[in-house]
Amino acid sequence: MDAAQRQLTLNLADQARQTQQWAEAVRLYSQLVQQLPDDAVLHHNFALSLLGAQQAEQAVLQADKALALQPALWQSVVVKVRALTALGQTLAAASALDAARLQYPQRAEFALELATITLHQQCDARLARQLVQPHLANPATATDACLTDIIASLYDRDDTAQDVNHRAMQFARTHLDRSQGRAQGHSSPAVPAHQGRKRLGLLSPHFNCSPVFFFCSGALTLLAQSFDLVFFSRSPVVDWATAELRPLAREWFDVAHLNAERLDAFVRAQSLDVLLDLGGWMDPIALQAISTKPAARMYKWVGGQSITTGLRAFDGFITDAAQTPAGFEAWFSEPLVRLPQGYVSYTPPAYMPAPVPANVHSHVLGVIANPVKVSQAFLAQLGDSLHSKPGGTPASLPTVLRFIDKRYCHSALQARILQALAPAQARLGDQLRVEFVAPASHLEYLIRVGQLSAVADTFPYTGGLTAMEALTLGVPGSAPAGLLFCERHSHAHQSYLQSRAHPHRRAAHAQPGQARASLVPADCPRADHAALATSLAQLFSTGRVERAVA
């Protein structure tokens, strides 16, 4: 390859990288680094492209080569850290970031990356907020810092729910809403003239083993009979749940690589009658994209549905009367669409274990929600309440407090929890044993949850899918009800668990050693996919739902 050929290849590689055509960029940079092995910038761009192509191990190797050639190339540290995180090596990623923060104290990128790992992997929302605080006032970093601060505030905070909601709405108006500044020629979409089946778009990074699958798939399976479902997948993660969703699709598009502008144009080109956002605050780029309303009608449904999007483009925020009671309209930028039978239905996995009797040797109290929801206030209340046991449980029975989630492998997370529970441990001594369980699979997680006597639900952010899983396994739990959408999940689920045949009957909680049955009746609204699909079909066809609660 002569100099002219190298320059042409470099131009093509850079163009592929800038347009996020990762496979092509990887192919071209691979040729270039063989020709110019001492070019640090080439190795960096190769590493970035490999990361985009989901080849994290190779990305680490190329980032290391770039840093060996040019130690001051701090951008390669960021690529390496993201690749290590993708590989699950979060301790190594955090260590690299700490070192980089000392080496480059003027670079806010390292603090922001560390805050992301701290929040989502090491599950310390308060520390994540501390890390971004110095960068909130800097225009160059304010967007990323503010977004992390808002998300972390949902999990653990001293400020009020109203404060968090207000900041989220401000952020959406300032950083997500592109409707006022979109390119000329992008007018609001005309209503597609589809005389037959309507085109229903679904946009999400969670078309896998996630709440989107478990709470939506039952209704989507039925809706696919009368709507053309168009999936826009925003994540390369695929698993058995993805394989179950794909046959429902009239069309399936993998769009994880598209930025907001290109995603907007791509969705707009599909001539959708209705678009459902199933990503929410978990995918702010997608919210940016659809803030221009690229479909005739749009609704926010499950998936990052923790709080209002703050956008005016939506025709509705799909909910129910227990999840969002009357009087909460001012908390949302979207009109509230309360489905009369409840806004979700739960589909357990095929491998859901059968309920088993509770432990007869100890009262096993489980904390099973995402560990980032284990707030300081929750831990304080949990510690104070450990002296009491449910009625019928012998007072002499020791308590095992079991924390179950794969992220409990992090020693810093364990240490934070043990420190908060130290007063209770000192008071109860041998009557309290704290355990951390890090299941290797969803099935193992469900088996461990099924062995619990009861669940202690987190707050302010309560359990959602985890609460339904425990109830299906016959494990009872508390149901706190806060103000934000994410603070009412467990309460709302339990509100819809009554059998239609016996609407006033409460399920009896088995005592230790007694057989248990699912606490989710087969004829309750949270198990009724047909009723949910009927209401959604009405909404998507007419824009209204019969018998909707005011």
Side-chain angles (χ1 to χ4, degrees), residues 152-211:
S153 298
L154 296 175
Y155 300 114
D156 200 351
R157 62 177 182 268
D158 294 320
D159 41 352
T160 67
Q162 289 91 336
D163 291 335
V164 178
N165 204 68
H166 177 70
R167 286 193 288 126
M169 283 189 163
Q170 278 193 317
F171 182 91
R173 286 194 296 268
T174 304
H175 301 290
L176 299 182
D177 191 350
R178 298 168 51 249
S179 62
Q180 300 303 315
R182 57 188 172 178
Q184 288 185 353
H186 267 186
S187 59
S188 296
V191 177
H194 296 139
Q195 300 301 317
R197 292 163 63 94
K198 291 185 178 295
R199 288 171 61 80
L200 173 60
L202 303 108
L203 174 66
S204 182
H206 302 298
F207 293 135
N208 45 47
C209 183
S210 72

Side-chain angles (χ1 to χ4, degrees), residues 317-353:
F317 190 102
I318 299 176
T319 182
D320 58 44
Q323 186 75 55
T324 315
F328 275 73
E329 286 74 12
W331 293 66
F332 294 83
S333 61
E334 312 89 346
L336 295 179
V337 179
R338 296 186 179 93
L339 302 189
Q341 77 293 323
Y343 83 115
V344 293
S345 60
Y346 173 60
T347 301
Y351 51 78
M352 174 66 79

Side-chain angles (χ1 to χ4, degrees), residues 144-473:
D144 290 339
C146 187
L147 178 60
T148 300
D149 186 58
I150 290 170
I151 299 303
S153 298
L154 296 175
Y155 300 114
D156 200 351
R157 62 177 182 268
D158 294 320
D159 41 352
T160 67
Q162 289 91 336
D163 291 335
V164 178
N165 204 68
H166 177 70
R167 286 193 288 126
M169 283 189 163
Q170 278 193 317
F171 182 91
R173 286 194 296 268
T174 304
H175 301 290
L176 299 182
D177 191 350
R178 298 168 51 249
S179 62
Q180 300 303 315
R182 57 188 172 178
Q184 288 185 353
H186 267 186
S187 59
S188 296
V191 177
H194 296 139
Q195 300 301 317
R197 292 163 63 94
K198 291 185 178 295
R199 288 171 61 80
L200 173 60
L202 303 108
L203 174 66
S204 182
H206 302 298
F207 293 135
N208 45 47
C209 183
S210 72
V212 168
F213 175 84
F214 293 112
F215 286 140
C216 302
S217 61
L220 291 179
T221 299
L222 298 174
L223 287 171
Q225 299 172 14
S226 52
F227 290 81
D228 286 340
L229 304 189
V230 182
F231 286 75
F232 303 91
S233 178
R234 292 278 297 157
S235 171
V237 177
V238 297
D239 55 26
W240 65 266
T242 315
E244 289 200 16
L245 289 172
R246 276 187 175 271
L248 304 180
R250 177 66 175 83
E251 296 171 273
W252 184 290
F253 300 108
D254 293 309
V255 293
H257 62 288
L258 298 183
N259 61 20
E261 291 78 10
R262 293 174 64 202
L263 181 60
D264 176 6
F266 188 85
V267 172
R268 189 179 298 273
Q270 306 311 314
S271 187
L272 300 173
D273 294 278
V274 177
L275 175 64
L276 293 178
D277 176 74
L278 304 173
W281 286 95
M282 300 301 292
D283 191 357
I285 292 175
L287 287 181
Q288 273 189 313
I290 65 176
S291 66
T292 65
K293 199 170 185 180
R297 282 189 285 127
M298 299 198 322
Y299 296 95
K300 179 72 199 83
W301 196 24
V302 180
Q305 198 181 19
S306 54
I307 195 171
T308 176
T309 65
L311 299 175
R312 299 287 182 180
F314 286 95
D315 294 275
F317 190 102
I318 299 176
T319 182
D320 58 44
Q323 186 75 55
T324 315
F328 275 73
E329 286 74 12
W331 293 66
F332 294 83
S333 61
E334 312 89 346
L336 295 179
V337 179
R338 296 186 179 93
L339 302 189
Q341 77 293 323
Y343 83 115
V344 293
S345 60
Y346 173 60
T347 301
Y351 51 78
M352 174 66 79
V356 298
N359 195 303
V360 297
H361 301 294
S362 58
H363 177 66
V364 187
L365 183 62
V367 179
I368 62 173
N370 184 332
V372 75
K373 301 178 183 180
V374 180
S375 67
Q376 285 188 1
F378 167 73
L379 286 172
Q381 178 173 301
L382 180 64
D384 291 340
S385 67
L386 285 173
H387 65 279
S388 61
K389 297 181 177 67
T393 303
S396 60
L397 204 63
T399 294
V400 176
L401 183 55
R402 186 172 293 162
F403 293 81
I404 307 175
D405 188 276
K406 63 182 180 181
R407 283 156 286 205
Y408 285 116
C409 62
H410 295 298
S411 57
L413 174 58
Q414 294 185 18
R416 176 171 67 86
I417 291 171
L418 290 173
Q419 181 180 10
L421 294 174
Q425 186 70 76
R427 183 177 71 250
L428 296 174
D430 292 341
Q431 286 295 103
L432 173 64
R433 186 168 78 247
V434 180
E435 298 177 351
F436 298 97
V437 177
S441 67
H442 189 221
L443 172 58
E444 183 184 347
Y445 166 84
L446 293 172
I447 291 172
R448 300 306 295 261
V449 171
Q451 296 167 350
L452 300 173
S453 306
V455 167
D457 203 1
T458 52
F459 66 85
Y461 204 126
T462 66
L465 173 61
T466 54
M468 285 299 297
E469 289 171 335
L471 292 164
T472 301
L473 290 164

Side-chain angles (χ1 to χ4, degrees), residues 451-523:
Q451 296 167 350
L452 300 173
S453 306
V455 167
D457 203 1
T458 52
F459 66 85
Y461 204 126
T462 66
L465 173 61
T466 54
M468 285 299 297
E469 289 171 335
L471 292 164
T472 301
L473 290 164
V475 180
S478 57
L483 296 172
L484 297 177
F485 192 89
C486 60
E487 298 175 359
R488 302 181 62 84
H489 288 318
S490 295
H491 165 78
H493 290 330
Q494 294 200 23
S495 297
Y496 284 93
L497 291 189
Q498 297 298 324
S499 166
R500 290 189 174 118
H502 305 283
H504 304 296
R505 179 182 296 176
R506 290 284 180 181
H509 294 177
Q511 298 304 314
Q514 293 180 338
R516 292 196 290 196
S518 172
L519 299 176
V520 183
D523 64 343

